[in-house]
Amino acid sequence: MNKLSELRATSPGRGTAALTRMDRPLLVECFVRFAMAFVLSGSQIFSGIAPFAVGFTAAAGSASGSAASLLGAVGGYLLSGSMFWAIKYICIAVIVCTAVVVFRDTGVFHTAWFMPAFAAFVTLCVDIVPAFDDGWALPAVALLLSDTVLAGASAYFYKTALSPWSGRFNLEQGSEIVHTVSVLILISTLLLSLAQLKILGVISVGRTLATLLVFLAAFKGGVGMGCATGISVGLAMDAASGAAPMFCTAYGLAGMISGIFSKRSKLVFALSYVLVDAVVAAVSIGNAGVPGILYEVFIASVIFMVLPPSFMSRLSVLLPGTGSGFGIIRAREYTKGRVDQTALAFKDLYETVKTAVGEGVNDGDVATVFDRAADVVCLSCTKTAKCWHHDYQQTVDAMNNATAAMMGRGSLLEDDLPEYFRRSCINVGEFTKAANQELKALLYRRQYKKRLRENQSAAFNQYADISAILKGISDELGGGSSFEPELESRLRKYLRSVNVQAETAVFRDRSGRLHGEIFGANFGALKKIPDYLDRLSAVFNVRLCTVDGPPESDRIFLLEAEPLAASVGICSKKKNEKEQSGDKGAYFKTDEGILYVVLSDGMGTGDQAARYSGDAVRILERFLRSGVAPETAVRLLNDLMLLKNEDDTGCATVDLVCINLFTGSARMFKYGAAPSYLRHGSTVRRMKGKSLAAGLGVPPHDAPDQLKMELKAGSAAVIVSDGVTAGLEDDWLCEHIAKYEGKEPRELAASIIEAASPKVGAEDDMTVIAIFVTERE
């Protein structure tokens, strides 16, 4: 039996080809940043304050992004105002861009407030000069403070708004609303500049885009999002117009009312928006923006009607996610699956032991030996009345006097009976023979009764173990698995941003490990995105791996990747090539990130030993996969072996290793097994147990040995069956493990088998399991 497995779930690698593919998105990003900075430089409020392009330059997370933003800001400022005004902001932007280049590799640069604070500080230093020249007049101080605050605030919110660039989210939990507000601020300040661009002197490009944005927000986000977006962009349009406020009311009210019809058809929704906007325009006759707002809402409604659904789905990434609620359902379904696995394990247990317990009378009283012998011999004797009625007390005393000698010897002799009884009894020989037959039956009954008590004790232990299992499942149903609505909404937002229409479920299991599932109409399109797993990892801020689900499942299963990886190698050699090996080994990893390695050696060799060890491994694996605690699972195994055996000889040794691949902590359970070995560097530690094999220990001596250890990256564990050392000195084995310098666990296991063969011969089956723990690549 040869096995080799690498239990690793690494994300897709990034080679040269992947880097080449990233060049094009980088160019697109730089171009978009250049264009946005160019537009933002023309966004002016409060008598010529325009710090938004400076804040945009500070919000860039890379040198290339900041340089592109700087170029856009320089061009925009030179075209948007006087030379002195432009030079002031260009100088601030240059200093900010220089700070990005200088500090980008430092830890403080990646904090949320460093660059916003730096941009605000530089703006303050530059603006102090004109404020000083004006004698610190109140208007000059107000402009100084406004310019400083807006520079820092815009840098902060712009960085948050652009954090999911190209689908690479980098948000902290609880920031969904902050991200949405940041996007609205970015769009509103962009529209400030575009609002000045007019067609035929009436129709504003910026206001038309603002109206379209409110259309989309209300249609995709409903009443709340439509109203919030309308008020936000309306304030910006009012600030740009310089006239009496009107757009805030028009956009906010239209977004709120039309949001009521967001679940209706696009036509009904658009008509409701246009009607509300027309009413606001009617009550605002005389406002300079009235003629334009009617044209603008008409143009925006036409564009809205012809926009393809896929485009609108991509824009819905701007909306805060609310979660589908599927996470709660899937968390309960996950727990239900664990309960089903446990039920199946108990069914296997029942099927194994259901024929072991019989029914019948278990009479163990020594008096029955003489009573039943008398029934056989004395009932037909002519002296029955005299012995068992007239001289009853003398007959009973004779039996009692013979009991001690009979039980001490294990048989009854005629000389054990008193002389007066032997003279009186005319069938003493036949009576002695009958008594011995009944004594033999009594001893068998006592042995059976002893075995029955052991079976009953094992059954009672199982009731306690079952109680512990059900208590754990109950705790998990009550709070072991937790729903993650924030992470689920972020996942849904990312999927919308890449035009993947799918449902999501995100939750944590009882160990705290993150689970994610993606399913729905076109979830398969996600796999076509290069490095999609890396992008999903960025959404959750944890490294993810994919796992295979049930064969009939039509979804993507995600798990939080363990920081450690384990490689397992198994090698074995049979005592006789014509017989089946009595050693059985297995290993598997659960969804909680626990690696289980099992090795069992059945009593004897051949088919019988294989059956004992196979039952042990199968039952353990069934329970452990279902989530039963390992200490409970090994106790159940011992009880099973006690119940299923027809005699006292059926047993199997057990080695069970449990490794947490998140922390490196490990436990080993041993039932009568050979020593195991743990290597750290060049040091090898021998781990021995004192318990009996599973199926031999009865309460209170039925607990396995339990050893705790740490398996950090670079550590190794070796488990062997007793045929490898044959009970001899094992210093050679410790030395062999310590000197091994390879990286393949099966190679080490095979080399141990090869080295053991000439030392111990072929007296027993030999199996070696090697486990190497490394950091996940």
Side-chain angles (χ1 to χ4, degrees):
M1 177 179 63
N2 295 326
K3 278 189 177 181
L4 177 62
S5 174
E6 294 288 331
L7 294 173
R8 304 180 183 185
T10 57
S11 58
R14 294 182 178 180
T16 305
L19 292 175
T20 303
R21 289 196 300 270
M22 294 300 292
D23 291 340
R24 183 177 299 175
L26 180 60
L27 292 175
V28 172
E29 178 181 352
C30 290
F31 176 79
V32 173
R33 288 187 180 275
F34 172 88
M36 294 177 73
F38 183 89
V39 174
L40 286 171
S41 61
S43 300
Q44 302 181 25
I45 59 174
F46 303 152
S47 302
I49 292 178
F52 302 108
V54 171
F56 191 82
T57 303
S62 63
S64 58
S66 182
S69 302
L70 175 61
L71 293 176
V74 171
Y77 282 130
L78 289 175
L79 297 176
S80 300
S82 65
M83 182 60 68
F84 177 81
W85 176 88
I87 290 176
K88 180 186 77 169
Y89 283 110
I90 290 174
C91 290
I92 298 174
V94 168
I95 297 174
V96 168
C97 181
T98 303
V100 171
V101 175
V102 172
F103 296 105
R104 70 182 186 277
D105 293 329
T106 63
V108 69
F109 175 80
H110 298 284
T111 60
W113 290 102
F114 176 75
M115 285 310 300
F118 186 87
F121 175 76
V122 175
T123 304
L124 175 65
C125 292
V126 173
D127 279 348
I128 283 179
V129 177
F132 178 81
D133 290 340
D134 290 338
W136 301 102
L138 183 60
V141 174
L143 291 177
L144 166 67
L145 296 177
S146 298
D147 210 14
T148 301
V149 172
L150 288 176
S154 61
Y156 176 83
F157 287 111
Y158 290 168
K159 182 176 182 179
T160 304
L162 296 174
S163 60
W165 183 269
S166 299
R168 295 187 296 272
F169 280 66
N170 188 22
L171 303 176
E172 296 295 330
Q173 291 194 22
S175 64
E176 282 288 300
I177 299 299
V178 176
H179 178 254
T180 302
V181 171
S182 300
V183 171
L184 288 177
I185 291 175
L186 173 59
I187 293 175
S188 299
T189 50
L190 285 169
L191 294 176
L192 273 174
S193 178
L194 296 177
Q196 308 301 325
L197 181 61
K198 295 184 178 181
I199 301 174
L200 302 176
V202 177
I203 303 173
S204 169
V205 174
R207 292 202 300 263
T208 302
L209 294 176
T211 305
L212 179 60
L213 177 63
V214 179
F215 262 98
L216 294 171
F219 185 71
K220 299 296 292 185
V223 174
M225 195 62 198
C227 182
T229 304
I231 293 175
S232 176
V233 298
L235 287 172
M237 296 304 99
D238 284 331
S241 67
M246 178 190 71
F247 295 102
C248 180
T249 302
Y251 293 164
L253 186 60
M256 180 179 65
I257 300 299
S258 61
I260 299 174
F261 302 94
S262 60
K263 302 301 181 182
R264 304 291 184 86
S265 65
K266 292 176 68 175
L267 180 60
V268 172
F269 172 83
L271 288 175
S272 66
Y273 189 102
V274 171
L275 288 176
V276 174
D277 202 84
V279 170
V280 174
V283 299
S284 302
I285 294 296
N287 191 296
V290 169
I293 194 173
L294 297 175
Y295 294 113
E296 291 155 6
V297 73
F298 173 77
I299 296 172
S301 63
V302 172
I303 297 174
F304 170 78
M305 292 299 297
V306 300
L307 281 177
S310 60
F311 180 77
M312 296 180 66
S313 296
R314 288 179 179 274
L315 288 180
S316 64
V317 71
L318 302 177
L319 307 179
T322 57
S324 64
F326 282 105
I328 296 177
I329 299 174
R330 286 300 301 147
R332 296 297 177 261
E333 290 179 356
Y334 172 79
T335 304
K336 178 182 179 298
R338 292 168 58 86
V339 175
D340 291 341
Q341 289 288 330
T342 305
L344 186 59
F346 277 110
K347 181 180 179 181
D348 278 356
L349 179 62
Y350 168 74
E351 293 294 336
T352 304
V353 303
K354 66 179 180 180
T355 59
V357 180
E359 297 181 356
V361 178
N362 186 21
D363 190 352
D365 189 354
V366 70
T368 62
V369 172
F370 299 108
D371 288 341
R372 293 181 178 181
D375 290 341
V376 173
V377 177
C378 298
L379 287 179
S380 58
C381 180
T382 57
K383 300 182 67 174
T384 299
K386 180 180 183 303
C387 295
W388 292 100
H389 292 282
H390 184 268
D391 296 333
Y392 174 78
Q393 189 60 48
Q394 292 179 351
T395 302
V396 171
D397 288 343
M399 306 300 147
N400 291 335
N401 292 334
T403 298
M406 178 184 69
M407 297 304 296
R409 187 185 304 109
S411 64
L412 178 67
L413 300 178
E414 291 184 12
D415 292 342
D416 294 334
L417 297 168
E419 182 178 355
Y420 70 85
F421 181 85
R422 295 197 303 270
R423 288 197 307 267
S424 174
C425 180
I426 60 177
N427 296 313
V428 65
E430 293 181 12
F431 182 84
T432 302
K433 182 179 179 181
N436 282 326
Q437 290 178 345
E438 293 299 329
L439 176 61
K440 184 178 181 180
L442 171 68
L443 296 178
Y444 278 132
R445 289 196 298 271
R446 286 189 171 183
Q447 182 182 18
Y448 173 77
K449 187 175 181 179
K450 176 179 178 292
R451 187 62 179 172
L452 182 61
R453 284 197 300 268
E454 292 177 356
N455 289 344
Q456 290 174 337
S457 178
F460 294 152
N461 286 344
Q462 287 183 6
Y463 293 145
D465 293 334
I466 292 171
S467 176
I469 293 170
L470 295 179
K471 179 63 167 62
I473 295 175
S474 176
D475 292 343
E476 187 168 352
L477 283 170
S481 299
S482 59
F483 175 43
E484 290 286 347
E486 173 72 17
L487 294 179
E488 184 169 319
S489 65
R490 288 164 61 182
L491 176 57
R492 289 170 61 82
K493 173 176 285 191
Y494 168 72
L495 294 178
R496 289 197 300 263
S497 73
V498 294
N499 196 28
V500 173
Q501 303 302 313
E503 300 294 348
T504 61
V506 181
F507 61 96
R508 293 185 184 275
D509 60 27
R510 61 179 180 176
S511 66
R513 191 181 194 185
L514 190 67
H515 293 243
E517 297 182 18
I518 301 173
F519 55 98
N522 69 332
F523 78 94
L526 180 64
K527 293 185 177 180
K528 299 179 181 179
I529 300 175
D531 299 332
Y532 80 95
L533 194 57
D534 287 342
R535 297 189 179 195
L536 291 176
S537 299
V539 172
F540 292 125
N541 286 331
V542 297
R543 187 176 183 182
L544 298 175
C545 62
T546 58
V547 294
D548 296 329
E552 69 280 3
S553 179
D554 193 18
R555 60 186 65 198
I556 298 175
F557 291 89
L558 304 171
L559 279 178
E560 181 179 353
E562 308 94 339
L564 298 176
S567 303
V568 181
I570 301 179
C571 188
S572 64
K573 182 179 180 180
K574 294 188 290 186
K575 173 184 177 181
N576 188 335
E577 292 299 328
K578 296 181 180 181
E579 292 185 352
Q580 194 172 2
S581 174
D583 298 343
K584 297 292 181 182
Y587 58 91
F588 53 91
K589 187 174 67 171
T590 65
D591 287 346
E592 295 180 348
I594 307 297
L595 172 68
Y596 291 103
V597 182
V598 186
L599 175 61
S600 178
D601 182 2
M603 183 198 65
T605 59
D607 294 341
Q608 184 181 38
R611 185 170 69 253
Y612 288 138
S613 60
D615 286 345
V617 171
R618 176 173 54 83
I619 294 299
L620 271 180
E621 181 173 356
R622 180 75 75 182
F623 276 105
L624 293 171
R625 282 189 182 275
S626 70
V628 175
E631 52 270 91
T632 303
V634 292
R635 285 199 307 268
L636 283 167
L637 173 65
N638 183 70
D639 295 339
L640 164 68
M641 300 297 288
L642 284 171
L643 287 170
K644 71 184 291 291
N645 293 334
E646 296 180 356
D647 51 48
D648 291 330
T649 59
C651 62
T653 67
V654 174
D655 269 307
L656 172 62
V657 180
C658 319
I659 306 173
N660 188 322
L661 296 179
F662 282 94
T663 64
S665 62
R667 289 186 294 170
M668 176 176 287
F669 299 87
K670 301 179 77 68
Y671 263 131
S676 301
Y677 307 88
L678 176 65
R679 188 183 76 178
H680 289 294
S682 60
T683 302
V684 176
R685 170 189 169 194
R686 180 188 296 106
M687 294 172 290
K688 301 168 61 177
K690 298 180 180 179
S691 63
L692 299 174
L696 295 182
V698 295
H701 307 293
D702 58 339
D705 298 297
Q706 182 176 169
L707 306 171
K708 295 183 179 180
M709 51 191 175
E710 290 290 328
L711 285 175
K712 300 180 180 179
S715 301
V718 177
I719 310 170
V720 301
S721 63
D722 54 12
V724 174
T725 58
L728 304 176
E729 291 295 329
D730 61 354
D731 291 341
W732 67 269
L733 181 53
C734 294
E735 184 179 356
H736 187 94
I737 296 172
K739 291 183 177 180
Y740 179 74
E741 298 180 352
K743 298 182 179 180
E744 295 296 333
R746 190 191 177 280
E747 184 180 58
L748 173 59
S751 67
I752 292 174
I753 294 286
E754 182 179 358
S757 297
K759 294 180 180 294
V760 300
E763 297 299 323
D764 197 0
D765 300 316
M766 292 189 289
T767 300
V768 179
I769 302 180
I771 310 166
F772 286 7
V773 178
T774 59
E775 290 185 358
R776 184 176 295 279
E777 297 178 356

